[in-house]
Each structure stands twice: as structure tokens, then as C-alpha cells.
Amino acid sequence: MKIPATTAAMPAAKKPLYQSLFVQILVAVVLGIAIGYFWPDIGSGLRPLGDGFIQLIKMIIAPLIFLVIVTGISAVGDVRSVGRVGVKALLYFTAATLFALAFGLVVANLVQPGAGLNIDPASLSQDALNAKTTTAPPKDAGQFLLGIIPTSVIGAFASNTLLQVLCFSVFFGAAIVVVGRDRCKPVIDLMETTLELFFKIMAWVMRVAPVGAFGAMAFIIGQYGLSSLSTYALLVAACYGSALIFIGLLFIVAWVYPKVPLWKFIKYSREEFILALGTASTESVLPRIMTKLTNAGCSRATTGLVVPTGYSFNLDGAALYLSISLLFLAQAFGHNLDLGQQLAALGILMLTSKGMAGVPGSAFLALSATAGALGIFPVAGVALLLGADRLMDSMRVVVNLLGNCVATFVVSKWEGQFDRDAMLAAFSRQDNAGEDPTRSPDEAANEPQSDEAAITSVR
């Protein structure tokens, strides 16, 4: 459905500060840090609050992605366009990941975060690492590619395997285009209505987002503490410093090609970013960030294809962390890798870092596979990062999320499916009319310009 022009321009009353979801989540994160720091035992016991909220989000992710992709493809009405979007997205993801890995290696060579540690391999235990990496990674590229094809559609939805859901969604949407939109109109209308229902559910779930952020942050600080910062100070500084520079480069990319003022987009999506930080998970904001990108001018089909795929193939923050951590471990064991070895490591990381989103201990799996392939230091040495891994969550989450948002803008512009005027209008409603564009669809239900109305409108 389309938004009537006479009502879409009407300004909405600005909510009181205490009703802002952004403020509520921010306060919850600060309280969680305080509880975890001063009462670590209590903080450690609050983990179910954060896990429960993320499970509520996961409950709707698979069907929401299916509905967004299918209705988006049916609106585009061109199967070849969908294929072009997929190819362009993968090209961008490959280039971005390669640059992030190479940039991380440069930073690690300059900072030398592991130099002088002189770790004795005999002092290492594989047990802690095995406990962290209970899921084995794919053995080769063929196995990984076969894993994208669901053996059961119901199984793909039940297990929340997003790449398999994505694969089936593309086939389903393409079938609607081939059969004909007119013949499939009852199915499309049903899906459009169902999509609105899922956004209503998402709005209800988002009401408890501050509770989830509070529990997750209290657990992280209570369980791991802030004292480990001193142990890994140089590694943490290298990762966060490289992340800041990389974010600056994303600002440049976003402005040079799609002409997106990224700071305004971050302000526009501030609730999603603070929630991702508070829960240390980008999955917790997947449905909402797709809505924001669609409202900001990206076509629904492009958003539906690029964002879920990027969650597996475009993890820029994880790529920075992996390359810096690999050299940190090599330096900690007294090995200075030459250019050839670092190039080999770069190639291996390109393979081991793909498709591991949502896999428990994914960073450790990638590093373990790389260490085993290089044979320079013992695989058990990856356990040295167990104490620092949680400290990197904020860096990885922000860079991963922002990188996928920029990828969506770039691919949308590349494919000619980006409406910059719609983006500027969305930003302007926030800046000038006092409207809060980050409100949930449920909160906006009685207002003229609602999130679910915007994402279900046919572009």
C-alpha cells in the first residue's frame, strides 16, 4: 500500500524524552555496566534477560526476511534485476572484507600488539578453546555452498539458518514474477498483511529492549570485568583505533558514491546502534535496520537481499579483529611473519571468515583454521584471546552493522534502486518536524508516517 501524500507530510508530535527508546536503552546500558561492575555476581546472573530478548528477536527474523524479500521481488517484477543485485552485493562484500583484512594486517604490523609477550606453547591448554568452539566450520567451499541450499524449507525456518531462508525466498519471489503478479495477487496481498502483523509483533518485542540491553551488559561486565583491559591494552587499542579509521573510510564511501550523509543516518538509526551495542549482537536489530534502510530510500528487494547476506559475508569488524589477532598471536609466540606468510594468511582468512555469523565461537573457529593451515604457532594458542574477545564486541558490532548499511546504500545506488529524495525526507522529518523516525511501528500506528506503512509501500 502507498502512503497518502496529504498525510505523509503531516508532522508528528515529539515524544517526551523519557519515552524515547534510545534514552531508555542508553539508561539500561549504563545501569547494566554499574550492576556488573559493583555487584559482579548479580550481573552474571542477569544473562537470561539479554538472551531472552535476543530469542524473541530471532523468533521473527526468518519469516520477516522471507516476507520482505518475496514482496520486494514481486514489486520489482524482474528476476534478472534480483540476480544483478546478488552479484553486485557479493562483489562489494569481497572487496570490503579484503580491504578490512589487509588494513588490519597493516595496523598489527605497525602497533605490534603481541611483541614481547614470549608465550610458552607448553603452557597452553586446548580444553578452553574446545569448549568455546563446539561447532565445526565447513570443511571446504563446496560444503559451505551446499549448506546454503535447504534440504527442508521448514527446517531452514526452524533452525533460523538465514542463508537458507534467503535462498528459498529468492526462488519463491522469482516464481511469483514468472507466474505473474496479477495471478498471484491473493498471495501477495496475504503476505503484505502478514508482514504488517510481524511488524506489530516486532513493536511489542521492542518494548522490552531496554530490559534485554540491561541484562546483557550486566552479564558481560559481571562475567568478564574491566580488569582484563590492562592485560590486552595494546591489542584493544589497535582494534578500536583501526575500527575508528575504518568507520571514517565508510563515511567517505557513503558520501562519494550514494551521497549519503552517514552521520545523519546514524542519528536516524541511533536506537538500533545503541541496542546492538547493549546486546553485543547485530541480530537483535536486523528487522529494525531493514525497516530504516527501506524508509531511507533503498528498495525493499535490495535491502532484503543485501542485509541478511551481509550478516554472513560482510563482517568488516570481524575481519579487522581476525587479522589483528592473528598477528598478535604470532608475535606473542615470537614469530615475525614475512610478506609471503602474511599474504597466505590473508587468503586463508578470506575463506575462513565467510559464512560464520551465528556460529558459536566463530572468531575462534576462523583463527583456529587459519593457525592450523599456516602451522606457525599451535592452534591452542588461540585460547589466549578468550579473555579479550568480549572486549571486542562493541567494535565488531558497530563496524559490522555500519558496514552492512553502507553496502545496502552502495548496491541500491549501483542498481538504480536508491531514492535519495526519500532518504533526505526521512532525515528532514526528524530534524525539522520534530518527528522521531526511530519509533517502533506500533508506536507509529496512529501517526501518518509509520514504519510498517513505509516498508510495505510499493516503491
Side-chain angles (χ1 to χ4, degrees), residues 60-420:
I60 62 173
I61 283 180
L64 193 62
I65 287 176
F66 171 74
L67 292 168
V68 168
I69 292 176
V70 171
T71 55
I73 292 175
S74 66
V76 172
D78 184 358
V79 176
R80 287 177 298 180
S81 174
V82 174
R84 288 197 306 269
V85 169
V87 171
K88 290 174 180 178
L90 290 176
L91 288 174
Y92 179 91
F93 294 160
T94 301
T97 302
L98 183 61
F99 178 82
L101 288 170
F103 183 64
L105 290 177
V106 171
V107 170
N109 278 293
L110 293 175
V111 178
Q112 297 281 313
L117 292 182
N118 299 319
I119 303 297
D120 180 9
S123 65
L124 301 173
S125 172
Q126 185 78 21
D127 296 338
L129 183 62
N130 290 339
K132 188 73 175 178
T133 56
T134 54
T135 306
K139 293 180 180 179
D140 52 45
Q143 183 182 349
F144 169 70
L145 292 174
L146 287 175
I148 297 177
I149 304 172
T151 54
S152 165
V153 173
I154 295 175
F157 280 86
S159 62
N160 249 353
T161 309
L162 297 188
L163 288 179
Q164 293 185 358
V165 172
L166 182 70
C167 178
F168 174 69
S169 303
V170 170
F171 276 106
F172 199 97
I176 288 179
V177 173
V178 173
V179 172
R181 185 177 174 87
D182 291 337
R183 289 186 60 189
C184 297
K185 190 175 186 302
V187 176
I188 297 172
D189 290 343
L190 175 62
M191 287 188 169
E192 295 277 6
T193 303
T194 307
L195 183 60
E196 291 190 40
L197 294 177
F198 270 95
F199 276 113
K200 184 69 68 174
I201 295 172
M202 183 180 74
W204 293 338
V205 172
M206 290 306 297
R207 290 180 177 177
V208 299
V211 177
F214 168 75
M217 188 56 65
F219 165 73
I220 290 172
I221 302 300
Q223 182 75 19
Y224 299 95
L226 298 175
S227 58
S228 54
L229 278 171
S230 59
T231 307
Y232 300 95
L234 202 53
L235 175 61
V236 172
C239 287
Y240 277 85
S242 62
L244 288 174
I245 298 173
F246 193 86
I247 289 173
L249 295 174
L250 288 176
F251 269 74
I252 295 173
V253 171
W255 178 250
V256 168
Y257 184 56
K259 300 291 185 184
V260 175
L262 206 54
W263 174 249
K264 287 190 175 182
F265 175 76
I266 293 174
K267 182 181 178 183
Y268 173 73
S269 306
R270 60 188 182 273
E271 289 178 0
E272 286 69 38
F273 279 91
I274 194 66
L275 180 59
L277 277 171
T279 58
S281 169
T282 53
E283 276 192 337
S284 64
V285 298
L286 176 57
R288 297 257 306 182
I289 206 65
M290 290 173 67
T291 304
K292 290 297 177 64
L293 287 164
T294 304
N295 292 348
C298 299
S299 74
R300 198 193 320 174
T302 303
T303 302
L305 287 169
V306 174
V307 175
T309 310
Y311 268 50
S312 287
F313 287 94
N314 190 42
L315 304 175
D316 297 331
L320 286 172
Y321 170 65
L322 288 174
S323 55
I324 294 174
S325 296
L326 181 69
L327 286 196
F328 166 81
L329 292 172
Q331 293 160 6
F333 288 104
H335 298 288
N336 290 316
L337 305 188
D338 58 31
L339 180 60
Q341 290 173 315
Q342 292 193 33
L343 290 176
L346 184 66
I348 296 169
L349 283 173
M350 276 292 294
L351 298 175
T352 58
S353 63
K354 294 297 184 184
M356 289 191 175
V359 177
S362 58
F364 298 101
L365 285 170
L367 285 171
S368 297
T370 306
L374 291 174
I376 297 171
F377 57 86
V379 173
V382 178
L384 291 174
L385 294 170
L386 289 173
D389 186 64
R390 276 291 188 176
L391 302 175
M392 307 298 177
D393 277 339
S394 298
M395 180 275 290
R396 287 191 298 241
V397 162
V398 170
V399 178
N400 288 346
L401 183 58
L402 193 60
N404 280 314
C405 291
V406 172
T408 307
F409 282 120
V410 169
V411 175
S412 294
K413 172 68 174 179
W414 194 356
E415 185 59 19
Q417 296 184 13
F418 175 54
D419 187 347
R420 191 168 187 272

